[in-house]
Each structure stands twice: as structure tokens, then as C-alpha cells.
Amino acid sequence: MDVRRAQEIASSPVMANVTYNGQRIYIEHVDQQKGMATIHPLDNPNQKQSVPVASLEEHSS
């Protein structure tokens, strides 16, 4: 995924189907300068982590 698309998803009120290592996640924040995203699994909002945006995968609903 590119940084621009990750930012669009993070800003959108519509939930997108995005995965990180096969697990569905929520994008909380995107650092465009560093190309990193703060994410958490849908089922565990307390498990935040920072990952490269390029490692995120968007799936069609």
C-alpha cells in the first residue's frame, strides 16, 4: 500500500478491509514523512504498533 492510500483510509469514516501479516487491522495514524502507520488489530485496540505502510494490504470488500 502507498502512503497516500493509507492516509485516505485512516481519514475515512468508512471501515476498509486492510490486513497486516494476514490479520485485519485498523489504521490509527499515518506518518507520511517516515512511511509508517500506527495500527492495531480489530479485535485488540490496545495492541498498537508502528509498521511500514508498504507492509499493509488492502482487500476488496
Side-chain angles (χ1 to χ4, degrees), residues 20 35-37 50-56:
Y20 173 69
M36 300 293 284
S50 185
V51 300
V53 170
S55 66
L56 302 178

Side-chain angles (χ1 to χ4, degrees), residues 6-57:
Q7 185 64 55
E8 287 175 1
I9 292 170
S11 300
S12 174
V14 178
M15 188 69 183
N17 185 359
V18 180
T19 60
Y20 173 69
N21 288 340
Q23 183 175 34
R24 289 197 64 193
I25 57 95
Y26 178 80
I27 302 173
E28 291 187 21
H29 174 75
V30 177
D31 184 328
Q32 293 182 332
Q33 299 291 334
K34 296 180 181 178
M36 300 293 284
T38 302
I39 65 166
H40 69 257
L42 291 183
D43 61 354
N44 191 351
N46 294 321
Q47 189 183 337
K48 296 179 185 180
Q49 56 185 316
S50 185
V51 300
V53 170
S55 66
L56 302 178
E57 190 172 345

